[in-house]
Amino acid sequence: MQVEVLKDELTNHGVETFLGAKKQEIKQSIKENLKHIEIDPIVLECITETSSDELLLKAMNLHFINKNILLAAIIAKDELLKMVRNNLENAKGNPVIIAAAEKVARMFSDLK
């Protein structure tokens, strides 16, 4: 898999704006949840800054992982269909194809 670095200023600005907006939403939510506690404003800002960064990073990592799991399941399904097409003239069931079909079904079941 090849990684492409975005150098387009408009695209980078859009991504930065989106992430910045989400970070601000998270920070505001944290502040709302902590408003009943007496905390120094500087400490509160430090807490919201680090917490929002961590939560945003974890959310992006989870999305990336889920997206790649789905991609792997789709590739596995495609390869399974190729195996079936290449084995149409075989009257007996191929145990490799049966095992692969079970694994693909399990992958999609786990995605639910």
Side-chain angles (χ1 to χ4, degrees):
M1 181 176 273
Q2 186 178 5
V3 177
E4 181 181 335
V5 178
L6 295 176
K7 296 190 186 244
D8 181 15
E9 287 183 32
L10 183 59
T11 304
N12 284 337
H13 176 71
V15 170
E16 290 169 5
T17 303
F18 176 76
L19 292 178
K22 287 299 173 189
K23 183 177 178 179
Q24 290 303 318
E25 285 179 29
I26 293 169
K27 285 172 72 171
Q28 189 60 37
S29 177
I30 292 170
K31 286 179 183 178
E32 287 293 321
N33 289 329
L34 296 177
K35 69 181 177 186
H36 66 281
I37 300 173
E38 294 259 341
I39 300 177
D40 183 75
I42 294 173
V43 173
L44 181 61
E45 187 61 32
C46 288
I47 290 171
T48 58
E49 186 69 29
T50 56
S51 298
S52 61
D53 284 341
E54 286 179 32
L55 289 170
L56 198 54
L57 183 61
K58 285 180 182 178
M60 288 189 308
N61 284 340
L62 182 61
H63 176 70
F64 177 78
I65 290 168
N66 288 336
K67 193 170 149 183
N68 282 310
I69 289 171
L70 178 61
L71 177 63
I74 291 170
I75 290 170
K77 179 184 173 198
D78 185 51
E79 290 300 314
L80 173 64
L81 293 175
K82 286 179 188 176
M83 288 172 63
V84 169
R85 276 193 301 263
N86 291 335
N87 199 37
L88 287 176
E89 60 276 348
N90 188 356
K92 296 188 299 182
N94 186 335
V96 173
I97 293 176
I98 294 168
E102 290 173 350
K103 287 181 181 182
V104 169
R106 195 173 316 119
M107 290 173 92
F108 279 103
S109 176
D110 290 345
L111 285 172
K112 283 200 286 185

